[in-house]
Amino acid sequence: MKRSASGLMAASAFLLATAFGHAAEPFNLAIPLPLTGGQAKFGEMMKRSYEMAAEEINAKGGVKGRKIVLSFEDSQAKPDSARAIVEKLIDVKKQPLIVGEYTSACAKAVAAVANERKTPYLIVASADDSITQQNYKYVFRQNVPNAYYAQGLVSFLREKVQPKTMAILYESSDFGTSGAADMEKWAGKLGCKVLVKEKYEKGAVDFKPILSKVKQAAPDVLFMVSYVMDASLLMKQIKELRLDAKLYAGGAAGFALPEFVDNAKDAAEYVMTATLWTPQVKYKGAKEYADKYKAKYGDFPSYHGASAYSALHVVHDALSRAKSMKSEDITEALKKTKLQTAYGPVAFEDKDGYQNQCFSETFVLQVQAGEHETVWPYAYANKKFIYPFPRWRDRK
Amino acid sequence: MKKPLIPLAVLAVLAVLPFSGLSTYMMHILILVLMWTTIGMSWNLLGGYCGQVSFGHAAYFGVGAYTAGLLYFKLQASAWWGIPLSVAVVSVFAFVLGYIVLKLRGPFFALATLASGEVLRITTENWNGFTNGTLGILIQERTWVAKTQYYYIILAITAFTFLLVRRLVASKWGYYFVAVREDQDAAESLGIDTTKYKTIALVVSAALTGICGAFYTNYMGFIDPHIVFALHDISIITIMIVMVGGVATQWGPLVGAGIMVLLAEWIRSIPGLGASHQAFFGVLLVLIILFLPNGIVGDFRKITRLFGRARA
Amino acid sequence: MNAAQVEVLLQTLIAGVLLGGLYALIGLGMTLIMGVMKIINLAHGELMMVGMYIAYWMFSLFGIDPYVSVFIAGPLLFFLGILIQKYLINTVLRVDSILPENQVILTVGVGMILASAATIAFKSDYRSTPVKYGTSAFYLSDLWKGSPIELSLSIPWSVSFLFALAITAGLWFFLQRTDTGKSIRATAQDLDAALLMGVNVQRMRVVTFGLGSALVGAAGCLFIPIYYLYPALGGQFTLIAFVITILGGLGSNVGAILGGLILGLFESLTATYVGMGWAPVGRFVIFIAALLFLPGGVASLLRRRAFGK
């Protein structure tokens, strides 16, 4: 009896709230992410970043006076789970737009559903080129596609290194395969011969066989596309084997995370990596975000976090400009986005066979004295690059 | 109600479900439930009735999925042709594989099938020229946006599988299957060609699973080797579905799939549970196996007895 | 073959042997459990993960070297194994069911609980123990100045390898010379005979599972200085353990070591001469080959020779 009475009270309170305080009704935004399994690390970083952004937006009055209330759904990096979540958000929760996901496989599943259901979907950190090449009208991507990840690195190679030969190691995933293929194309344009191109199964324990083969080939540049721990393991074992290349370069992802330096320690020194964003970058709000994140969670975020953080600001901007909370209007508003964010300027263009794609500068980081420093392009650099660097046997 | 009426009644209920105004989200979940029911029933034929516990049904699922995917990718044909074609491809494949692995028994058979699934996954990943490797295959435009058509297609497949398995099990072959499960040596000494019947069970089971793979390609529109040859997410989930539902029972796979898909989804979306939903699910699995070792349908008497006692 | 090619070959062989030794230790626990109980333990890798977390926390909180943690994680995992066997697996084995394989699902459940508990407790962060000697190595050119080729031998890998050998030797001694060890072997060889001889089979099973868990926990401690750790890492090591168990022969110690070495060498050679992406295929190809052509594993070959057959 007592329970039903309190239920009644709650219900009437809710009715009152909706009757009188329509403006105060929160805007619920559920975000699909991998929170368990091997990709959970990235999901977690993004979750924290979304939360930070939501806090800021709410402190400034929310979306059209409504507070943003975030919730997160664990897609476990499985496409059918991701799809189930998004079907639920669109159909049951009537959420007018979708933000989130991490792996390319999941983003593909979500993008297909979102486009079919005419609901805008903002991709935050999924790299696979093909996602924004499908003539999807409702799919927007804030990070550059994989083919552009290494753009900054390639310009550095062209101007400062002029390599004659290269070896490419990459993990056997969507991201690794397309990253390696793109680098091979770039190498062709640089007049650089690819001597070894090998993939490995993520989570491998021992890279020494393949590394001794690379050592024998003696390439100028060793380019690697790997997740965090594979990246540190690779560098550790490169050090053990004293494999001397003129340049070790990583294709974003693992190499750009602070964990890479934490785990590879001195083996990480001088390693360069492509990245989409750095904590030192001179975009307005970038430093504040990075510092706040570090203060709260102990480490600097990588571009994954910055992109997630800014994506929510992009969403806020689009929702504020949209004529209504309907998907069509939000899509229209997103298309017209021109926003300076901590992640950089965001605008969605149709260019080079991509649709609704945001193109932004990419950077080169170098590990110097155990810190990731931005060294390229010049305009953004906070430290001068070190090149060439000492051979392993000459290092202390 | 007479026995044959129950399946008809269930089918009728399932057939009218789409008209009850379900959201597309629920339809998606139901489609997955039906798909897993079908895979479960086909696994049950081999594992439950014939006693050959396969840890590699992802191999057949994946080959079916890639049959459909490659038709589209290489020949620009409709991936729907993958459904009939996968029957042929997967049957041949299972026949050859069966020749190798069916010589083995018990845990050895289990591990050999497990390895065969993994070998296929890695081969598909590395064979770039043919399978597009880890990039997978993306179908640009799915046939329908609505769920209803997919639902009826998978319902038809499920009903067909149900009938086929039921017929097979009730036939003379069915008795041979069970004989093999209970004591292979005894069956052999009675003159049953055990290899033959094991092969039959394997090929039928694999072909039905392959159909589901081809359906998956059409329905999801994107496949890659990690997804369709997954050891945990396909092979082991299949076993769990049957074991939770009830091994060697008609309705076990349906009940199991209902629990594994619906309940898992429900637990997953409890707000505030965060990453711990997997722990909950793990505990649930452990409890079911501890208290209902033959699954929910298999130990149904136990459940009713328990509740009967509680009432008295 | 020129000097450079010799260098690659030798380096590959070194890598293969070291890797094989570590693989062997992962396989030992599994072969023991499978040999005695004929059950498939899909939580094996998760138990290793637990061992690694113990080593990790011992290192980060108290600065205890991961190699010392072998003596902490081993006993702790022993008790965890006993609990799992006594209260979960034995309960299921005791009940009559259509397919005895339903214990597999139990271990899957246990694995899920362990992995999920680790995610909740420690987040999904990647961790490693940055020991000082993490990347140090012996170099041939340091010892022999004029060497035409350069070879390196990683110090932590070698230490882990020696530890693995020592643990294996200890286990061998235990199984051969102690009463409990003999009872375990008797249970593995012939359950009914062991029962008749008055062996407390239930107890042996519990001890075996504990021992198997302790071994894989120790393997975790040996792995963490050269590898890394996150909650979902278990699965791949479970698979490796299976391969070694079958390759070596169920329940055979020596077989597990040889199986581990064969696997390590095979994977390294495949990585160098075929392609690293194919190394896991090689793994499963020898697995199936062993199942088919050498059903008793390497151990059966040894036995045949010993009996002069």
Side-chain angles (χ1 to χ4, degrees):
Chain A
M1 211 44 228
K2 204 174 167 191
R3 185 177 295 166
S4 68
S6 64
L8 205 68
M9 264 164 67
S12 48
F14 176 74
L15 278 177
L16 277 174
T18 43
F20 292 104
H22 190 75
E25 186 191 333
F27 179 76
N28 289 305
L29 187 66
I31 297 175
L33 279 175
L35 292 174
T36 54
Q39 313 290 345
K41 165 84 206 152
F42 297 91
E44 231 163 55
M45 188 202 291
M46 293 177 173
K47 176 172 178 263
R48 293 164 175 175
S49 303
Y50 286 124
E51 281 168 346
M52 283 168 61
E55 224 168 80
E56 288 171 20
I57 292 168
N58 288 338
K60 285 183 192 155
V63 177
K64 293 182 177 166
R66 293 164 67 179
K67 285 221 177 321
I68 295 186
V69 176
L70 292 183
S71 57
F72 298 91
E73 297 245 7
D74 180 15
S75 66
Q76 301 157 290
K78 289 190 220 164
D80 36 5
S81 297
R83 178 162 177 190
I85 293 167
V86 173
E87 304 256 14
K88 177 169 71 181
L89 296 185
I90 295 177
D91 213 65
V92 183
K93 302 278 174 73
K94 308 284 177 209
Q95 188 170 304
L97 90 163
I98 309 288
V99 193
E101 256 319 323
Y102 171 56
T103 62
S104 293
C106 287
K108 279 177 188 169
V110 174
V113 174
N115 200 62
E116 281 172 2
R117 311 293 304 278
K118 302 191 181 349
T119 305
Y121 170 38
L122 179 56
I123 297 171
V124 173
S126 311
D128 190 276
D129 292 313
S130 67
I131 305 174
T132 41
Q133 292 175 322
Q134 309 289 335
N135 285 315
Y136 287 154
K137 190 182 158 207
Y138 298 90
V139 178
F140 297 81
R141 176 155 60 180
Q142 187 174 289
N143 59 302
V144 293
N146 210 347
Y148 291 76
Y149 269 43
Q151 217 175 17
L153 182 68
V154 169
S155 91
F156 178 77
L157 289 181
R158 187 189 296 119
E159 289 181 34
K160 297 291 166 192
V161 184
Q162 284 121 16
K164 291 278 165 296
T165 53
M166 185 187 281
I168 301 175
L169 300 180
Y170 61 102
E171 58 157 37
S172 62
S173 69
D174 238 7
F175 177 69
T177 312
S178 51
D182 290 324
M183 181 45 86
E184 204 177 11
K185 271 182 229 149
W186 284 114
K189 282 180 201 157
L190 291 173
C192 169
K193 214 172 131 206
V194 177
L195 302 173
V196 179
K197 183 174 174 242
E198 286 268 7
K199 77 169 137 209
Y200 62 85
E201 180 102 328
K202 188 157 58 191
V205 179
D206 192 7
F207 294 95
K208 273 172 274 179
I210 189 73
L211 289 174
S212 27
K213 196 159 119 187
V214 172
K215 189 179 175 188
Q216 189 196 8
D220 288 347
V221 173
L222 175 54
F223 180 73
M224 295 163 277
V225 192
S226 315
Y227 275 119
V228 208
M229 297 316 273
D230 292 331
S232 5
L233 224 49
L234 271 165
M235 281 319 298
K236 278 189 192 172
Q237 298 184 3
I238 283 173
K239 183 190 166 202
E240 261 172 51
L241 286 179
R242 291 190 175 160
L243 191 171
D244 285 303
K246 279 189 188 161
L247 188 83
Y248 312 100
F255 287 91
L257 290 185
E259 276 93 341
F260 166 61
V261 189
D262 292 347
N263 287 293
K265 294 279 167 195
D266 55 337
E269 199 62 17
Y270 308 118
V271 174
M272 292 192 176
T273 178
T275 188
L276 308 186
W277 177 87
T278 82
Q280 295 106 7
V281 80
K282 285 157 194 145
Y283 297 135
K284 193 167 173 284
K287 195 179 172 324
E288 287 79 359
Y289 158 69
D291 290 343
K292 205 162 135 192
Y293 188 98
K294 184 165 186 184
K296 217 165 167 183
Y297 302 110
D299 242 338
F300 278 125
S302 63
Y303 63 86
H304 309 85
S307 184
Y309 170 81
S310 301
L312 208 61
H313 284 287
V314 169
V315 166
H316 171 238
D317 168 69
L319 289 177
S320 309
R321 281 184 292 110
K323 273 179 272 170
S324 75
M325 286 299 195
K326 289 210 184 75
S327 291
E328 285 296 335
D329 294 326
I330 297 173
T331 310
E332 211 171 288
L334 265 176
K335 185 84 194 168
K336 288 183 192 140
T337 298
K338 273 212 165 36
L339 190 70
Q340 276 299 331
T341 69
Y343 182 72
V346 175
F348 300 102
E349 300 172 69
D350 297 343
K351 200 172 88 179
D352 292 345
Y354 297 93
Q355 298 88 34
N356 299 333
Q357 174 66 55
C358 173
F359 293 92
S360 48
E361 195 85 52
T362 66
F363 308 90
V364 179
L365 292 175
Q366 185 173 36
V367 180
Q368 296 183 2
E371 292 290 337
H372 271 124
E373 306 289 356
T374 315
V375 296
W376 195 264
Y378 260 138
Y380 297 92
N382 71 323
K383 282 272 169 68
K384 191 174 166 9
F385 61 86
I386 301 175
Y387 176 84
F389 36 80
R391 286 151 42 95
W392 291 109
R393 64 165 61 242
D394 304 326
R395 295 193 197 178
K396 261 179 261 155
Chain B
M1 213 185 320
K2 269 190 197 157
K3 278 243 155 169
L5 287 179
I6 298 175
L8 279 177
V10 173
L11 182 67
V13 170
L14 287 173
V16 296
L17 262 182
F19 297 103
S20 62
L22 289 175
S23 65
T24 57
Y25 164 61
M26 269 320 288
M27 290 293 286
H28 172 68
I29 300 292
L30 283 178
I31 289 171
L32 289 183
V33 169
L34 286 178
M35 189 186 88
W36 281 112
T37 305
T38 313
I39 302 174
M41 288 192 296
S42 57
W43 187 92
N44 204 13
L45 182 67
L46 178 69
Y49 292 103
C50 200
Q52 309 300 308
V53 176
S54 154
F55 273 72
H57 260 47
Y60 317 119
F61 184 83
V63 170
Y66 263 90
T67 305
L70 287 172
L71 263 183
Y72 169 84
F73 185 66
K74 289 278 172 194
L75 306 172
Q76 281 78 45
S78 161
W80 286 108
W81 291 110
I83 289 188
L85 190 64
S86 68
V87 175
V89 174
V90 177
S91 298
V92 171
F93 171 76
F95 185 80
V96 175
L97 194 71
Y99 182 77
I100 303 174
V101 296
L102 283 173
K103 289 176 185 157
L104 304 163
R105 291 191 187 183
F108 293 97
F109 174 80
L111 292 178
T113 49
L114 185 149
S116 60
E118 287 291 286
V119 167
L120 276 174
R121 174 176 65 79
I122 301 159
T123 309
T124 319
E125 271 174 24
N126 282 284
W127 197 358
N128 285 334
F130 184 57
T131 60
N132 208 25
T134 45
L135 292 177
I137 293 172
L138 177 70
I139 291 179
Q140 206 151 20
E141 227 167 274
R142 283 186 291 223
T143 324
W144 302 288
V145 175
K147 294 279 183 297
T148 326
Q149 292 92 331
Y150 294 104
Y151 180 83
Y152 282 112
I153 290 172
I154 192 68
L155 183 61
I157 296 172
T158 311
F160 170 75
T161 307
F162 181 86
L163 273 181
L164 185 67
V165 171
R166 189 182 157 110
R167 272 286 171 85
L168 272 179
V169 170
S171 73
K172 205 164 63 182
W173 287 2
Y175 290 103
Y176 294 154
F177 291 162
V178 175
V180 171
R181 180 185 80 201
E182 292 302 319
D183 192 334
Q184 194 172 327
D185 297 317
E188 216 149 285
S189 63
L190 285 174
I192 298 174
D193 184 351
T194 54
T195 313
K196 180 177 153 192
Y197 291 103
K198 284 198 284 184
T199 311
I200 292 172
L202 174 68
V203 169
V204 174
S205 172
L208 292 169
T209 309
I211 293 177
C212 290
F215 172 80
Y216 183 91
T217 305
N218 280 290
Y219 177 59
M220 288 296 289
F222 174 68
I223 52 170
D224 78 19
H226 280 287
I227 301 171
V228 297
F229 290 110
L231 171 62
H232 188 270
D233 295 342
I234 306 261
S235 294
I236 292 180
I237 295 273
T238 305
I239 306 174
M240 291 208 261
I241 281 172
V242 182
M243 289 202 169
V244 165
V247 171
T249 60
Q250 251 185 82
W251 297 102
L254 181 66
V255 174
I259 289 182
M260 296 297 291
V261 180
L262 267 175
L263 200 65
E265 175 68 17
W266 180 70
I267 293 181
R268 197 191 54 64
S269 35
I270 296 176
L273 213 50
S276 53
H277 67 88
Q278 283 212 310
F280 266 72
F281 203 65
V283 170
L284 189 78
L285 270 183
V286 169
L287 289 179
I288 289 181
I289 296 300
L290 278 183
F291 295 107
L292 305 168
N294 286 318
I296 293 174
V297 177
D299 281 330
F300 198 65
R301 285 241 180 84
K302 217 168 162 182
I303 304 175
T304 47
R305 220 184 316 141
L306 203 69
F307 280 91
R309 208 181 293 156
R311 227 179 286 141
Chain C
M1 234 203 263
N2 59 31
Q5 280 166 327
V6 172
E7 183 183 319
V8 172
L9 178 63
L10 288 177
Q11 195 72 62
T12 306
L13 293 177
I14 293 176
V17 170
L18 291 178
L19 183 65
L22 290 174
Y23 275 2
L25 191 58
I26 303 178
L28 266 181
M30 166 107 35
T31 200
L32 202 62
I33 293 172
M34 270 185 94
V36 172
M37 289 182 282
K38 312 286 183 285
I39 68 164
I40 295 176
N41 175 19
L42 281 180
H44 199 65
E46 274 78 16
L47 289 170
M48 176 169 162
M49 171 207 64
V50 173
M52 289 171 92
Y53 268 108
I54 293 172
Y56 172 81
W57 285 112
M58 287 296 149
F59 180 83
S60 331
L61 297 179
F62 310 114
I64 296 174
D65 193 277
Y67 292 117
V68 178
S69 291
V70 169
F71 304 101
I72 302 168
L76 285 176
L77 263 288
F78 183 76
F79 286 114
L80 181 62
I82 283 184
L83 289 180
I84 293 175
Q85 172 66 23
K86 204 164 179 178
Y87 295 106
L88 298 176
I89 298 179
N90 264 350
T91 321
V92 171
L93 289 180
R94 221 176 287 138
V95 189
D96 200 27
S97 54
I98 297 173
L99 285 182
E101 280 86 352
N102 60 2
Q103 50 79 18
V104 176
I105 302 307
L106 187 73
T107 62
V108 172
V110 170
M112 279 171 89
I113 297 171
L114 290 177
S116 176
T119 315
I120 299 164
F122 312 127
K123 300 278 174 211
S124 48
D125 292 342
Y126 297 97
R127 298 163 193 272
S128 66
T129 52
V131 283
K132 281 202 192 68
Y133 47 84
T135 51
S136 25
F138 298 113
Y139 297 95
L140 186 62
S141 63
D142 291 349
L143 300 173
W144 174 23
K145 288 281 178 263
S147 158
I149 56 172
E150 171 71 308
L151 291 177
S152 72
L153 181 65
S154 157
I155 291 172
W157 278 78
S158 315
V159 174
S160 292
F161 181 79
L162 293 176
F163 250 92
L165 289 191
I167 292 172
T168 314
L171 180 71
W172 185 83
F173 184 82
F174 171 77
L175 289 178
Q176 297 293 328
R177 295 294 154 85
T178 64
D179 285 346
T180 317
K182 285 177 186 164
S183 305
I184 288 178
R185 285 194 299 139
T187 314
Q189 272 161 16
D190 193 330
L191 187 68
D192 298 325
L195 272 169
L196 285 175
M197 300 304 286
V199 172
N200 185 346
V201 171
Q202 287 301 332
R203 208 180 120 89
M204 286 313 123
R205 284 183 164 164
V206 172
V207 171
T208 308
F209 204 93
L211 210 53
S213 311
L215 284 169
V216 78
C221 298
L222 301 186
F223 251 87
I224 195 151
I226 53 168
Y227 199 61
Y228 51 88
L229 170 61
Y230 63 100
L233 134 154
Q236 73 185 82
F237 290 104
T238 308
L239 284 181
I240 290 170
F242 278 135
V243 178
I244 294 163
T245 305
I246 297 299
L247 196 58
L250 284 189
S252 162
N253 268 318
V254 187
I257 299 169
L258 291 176
L261 288 176
I262 294 173
L263 185 69
L265 280 170
F266 196 84
E267 278 191 16
S268 297
L269 289 170
T270 317
T272 306
Y273 296 105
V274 184
M276 197 162 167
W278 289 99
V281 175
R283 180 189 301 168
F284 291 111
V285 169
I286 48 171
F287 181 62
I288 294 181
L291 275 171
L292 289 176
F293 304 115
L294 205 58
V298 182
S300 67
L301 282 182
L302 295 173
R303 223 167 291 138
R304 234 175 279 170
R305 173 145 311 168
F307 290 123
K309 276 181 199 165

